[in-house]
Amino acid sequence: QVRQVFNGKIVKECKRIPAKVQKDELENRKDLRGLLTVTIDGDDAKDFDDAISIVKNEKGYLLYVHIADVSHYVKRSSALDKEAYDRGLSTYPANTVIPALPHILSNGICSLNPNTKRLTKSIIMELDENGELINYNLVNSCITSRKKMAYSKVNKLLDDGEIDEDYLPYTDNLKLMKELSDKLTSIREREGMLTFSEEEVSIIEDDKGNIMGIEKKDNGEAGKIIENFMIMANYCADLYLNFTIGRSIHRVHANPDPKRLEQAKDKLTSIGIDLPKVENIDTSSYLQVILDEYKDSSEYPIVSEILLQALPRAIYSPYPLGHFGLGLNYYSHFTSPIRRYPDLKVQQIIDSYLTNDLKSIESEEQLAEICEHCSFKEQQADLLEKEVVKVKMMDYVDSHKEKTYYGTITGIDNE
């Protein structure tokens, strides 16, 4: 059960937060309002955690990832903080949202809305011509996003050369983003990142909630750009937290259990999937070889699903144990503080460090408790979201009995 409303105490606390950035709040912040900054999100997104800027220079690229400074407004032990912790994260059951923070914050002062002054935490990354990280810095900042962009329109521009008139001034900037993103993809694949089939769907509904259709969700090249840039920001944030502060919440993904992996390989073999024969290769590289082998075949969703089920879930931990699926030794969740409590807690820890208030930073035991709670809440949210999609799909099928539907079997159990 998920609470959909916020109590009076929280509403009262929200009312004390100014609706606009105040002049005194700009003190000790790096002014980045002169950069060409944009947000790129789903077509119907209403809260914007992250914005990006990119500059080409003689060394390579300067990449700025700006994240809404939610911790400036949601302080430790406040009613808002306790409620966000209790919820753990925003939940998105098919075309609805159960937010971690009230809309007055998530869609208002905390959201990086266009042509509006906003407080942010920016990770400034210096990368060479090949996309390799040379240096990074994390600063409290102030930005103004110039444009709220949608995945669909950016994809049309990058894939088909179809440019909306209002996107025309950003064409070179978007092409530069894709150029760097492609290089980052190559690096990540070389470092052992696994690329699984993504079979998410969108439920198309009318104003009354009647299901009009079901479509495969595909964020395309624009989605890859944002994913690559956010992975870089999360990586740099974890490096900063680990080597500067020494205490934080990390996003970790353990190595697969060899027994479960063997069972997955046996399962694939038993349904006629020929696994490539490769010797002297590490686990992540071998899994990627299998995925690459079937990437363009009709069996890809099956291969991907069975291998994915053999891997452990990514969870939160107070210890930097690395992320197997991304092939990274350090990784945190930093880029979605409006939607996820661990990201907000990471911001609060950074604030304590920057103001030399180290005694406020939670102990390892306290962080472990937060990690366990947020990992559990995430699992609950995943189950709810998947269940709602299944129910909606069955409602659609039930009301269109005249149609023939094709399915892909990805597993058979004893029942």
Side-chain angles (χ1 to χ4, degrees):
Q1 193 173 357
V2 187
R3 280 197 309 280
Q4 297 198 47
V5 295
F6 292 90
N7 64 40
K9 190 176 180 182
I10 291 163
V11 172
K12 191 181 286 186
E13 204 170 87
C14 286
K15 286 180 179 175
R16 291 199 291 268
I17 295 171
K20 292 181 179 179
V21 173
Q22 306 300 299
K23 191 175 180 181
D24 62 327
E25 292 177 306
L26 300 180
E27 289 177 19
N28 301 317
R29 283 184 179 269
K30 192 171 183 68
D31 190 347
L32 299 176
R33 285 175 286 177
L35 289 171
L36 180 59
T37 299
V38 299
T39 61
I40 308 176
D41 284 273
D43 293 32
D44 51 0
K46 294 181 176 63
D47 55 1
F48 307 101
D49 290 280
D50 55 87
I52 49 178
S53 320
I54 191 169
V55 177
K56 193 86 163 55
N57 61 19
E58 65 284 352
K59 290 182 182 177
Y61 307 86
L62 269 178
L63 174 64
Y64 300 77
V65 174
H66 315 283
I67 305 301
D69 195 352
V70 179
S71 62
H72 180 81
Y73 303 102
V74 181
K75 302 296 185 186
R76 268 190 189 87
S77 303
S78 63
L80 275 166
D81 181 57
K82 289 173 181 172
E83 182 71 8
Y85 167 77
D86 197 35
R87 293 176 180 234
L89 74 168
S90 296
T91 308
Y92 299 89
N95 299 332
T96 58
V97 58
I98 304 165
L101 294 169
H103 286 305
I104 194 170
L105 292 186
S106 63
N107 295 10
I109 191 69
C110 290
S111 181
L112 306 183
N113 300 329
N115 304 311
T116 313
K117 189 162 50 184
R118 287 290 183 254
L119 303 183
T120 45
K121 282 180 164 47
S122 296
I123 293 190
I124 306 166
M125 291 163 273
E126 193 179 331
L127 305 108
D128 68 16
E129 274 292 344
N130 300 314
E132 296 282 0
L133 184 67
I134 301 169
N135 199 6
Y136 73 92
N137 194 16
L138 192 156
V139 296
N140 282 332
S141 54
C142 174
I143 68 157
T144 299
S145 171
R146 308 271 186 94
K147 181 75 179 164
K148 178 182 79 171
M149 295 188 176
Y151 286 144
S152 60
K153 290 188 177 182
V154 173
N155 286 331
K156 279 183 181 176
L157 187 153
L158 294 174
D159 296 338
D160 308 320
E162 289 181 32
I163 307 171
D164 271 36
E165 194 175 328
D166 56 336
Y167 278 53
L168 206 54
Y170 310 97
T171 305
D172 291 343
N173 211 247
L174 289 168
K175 287 179 179 176
L176 188 60
M177 288 178 191
K178 185 184 182 309
E179 181 185 296
L180 176 58
S181 176
D182 288 345
K183 291 175 182 179
L184 292 174
T185 296
S186 298
I187 293 169
R188 283 170 52 206
E189 287 175 350
R190 200 165 62 241
E191 290 177 348
M193 182 202 71
L194 299 174
T195 312
F196 291 98
S197 169
E198 295 181 20
E199 291 289 313
E200 287 187 66
V201 297
S202 295
I203 307 293
I204 314 301
E205 297 177 312
D206 63 16
D207 295 340
K208 296 177 181 175
N210 299 313
I211 305 167
M212 309 301 291
I214 299 165
E215 292 179 358
K216 185 178 174 183
K217 194 185 288 184
D218 183 8
N219 294 332
E221 287 296 335
K224 283 181 190 171
I225 289 169
I226 296 302
E227 181 187 357
N228 280 331
F229 292 176
M230 294 310 121
I231 286 172
M232 285 300 298
N234 285 329
Y235 170 64
C236 290
D238 207 46
L239 287 176
Y240 179 89
L241 291 155
N242 195 63
F243 293 106
T244 308
I245 302 169
R247 223 179 303 157
S248 185
I249 289 175
H250 309 273
R251 182 67 169 177
V252 304
H253 186 218
N255 288 2
D257 174 6
K259 189 178 176 182
R260 288 193 67 183
L261 211 50
E262 281 304 316
Q263 288 171 344
K265 284 156 69 177
D266 290 345
K267 192 173 183 181
L268 288 168
T269 305
S270 72
I271 59 172
I273 301 292
D274 293 322
L275 298 178
K277 305 279 190 297
V278 186
E279 294 180 7
N280 302 320
I281 190 170
D282 62 72
T283 304
S284 64
S285 298
Y286 181 59
L287 291 177
Q288 194 56 55
V289 166
I290 299 171
L291 291 166
D292 286 344
E293 178 99 2
Y294 285 91
K295 189 166 58 178
D296 300 319
S297 74
S298 59
E299 289 100 340
Y300 182 50
I302 304 171
V303 173
S304 179
E305 178 71 15
I306 290 172
L307 289 179
L308 194 56
Q309 286 172 2
L311 300 183
R313 276 186 73 101
I315 59 169
Y316 296 106
S317 171
Y319 311 109
L321 305 173
H323 198 294
F324 174 79
L326 292 174
L328 293 170
N329 292 328
Y330 294 95
Y331 199 68
S332 71
H333 268 177
F334 167 77
T335 53
S336 292
I338 292 174
R339 304 169 199 171
R340 295 188 302 231
Y341 188 75
D343 306 50
L344 170 58
K345 180 52 64 183
V346 162
Q347 287 196 343
Q348 291 173 349
I349 291 169
I350 290 168
D351 288 340
S352 296
Y353 173 75
L354 293 176
T355 57
N356 203 27
D357 182 21
L358 302 183
K359 66 181 185 298
S360 294
I361 298 176
E362 289 77 4
S363 67
E364 276 190 0
E365 290 77 15
Q366 289 171 315
L367 289 173
E369 192 176 316
I370 293 169
C371 289
E372 188 177 345
H373 170 78
C374 290
S375 296
F376 173 69
K377 284 291 184 179
E378 182 184 49
Q379 288 182 43
Q380 281 192 317
D382 283 351
L383 288 170
L384 173 63
E385 289 167 10
K386 285 173 183 172
E387 196 62 31
V388 169
V389 167
K390 283 179 186 175
V391 170
K392 296 268 187 184
M393 289 171 87
M394 295 316 296
D395 283 348
Y396 180 77
V397 169
D398 193 48
S399 61
H400 293 81
K401 292 190 174 90
E402 75 287 356
K403 289 189 176 183
T404 301
Y405 298 91
Y406 295 89
T408 302
I409 297 170
T410 59
I412 301 171
D413 63 23
N414 293 336
E415 297 175 358

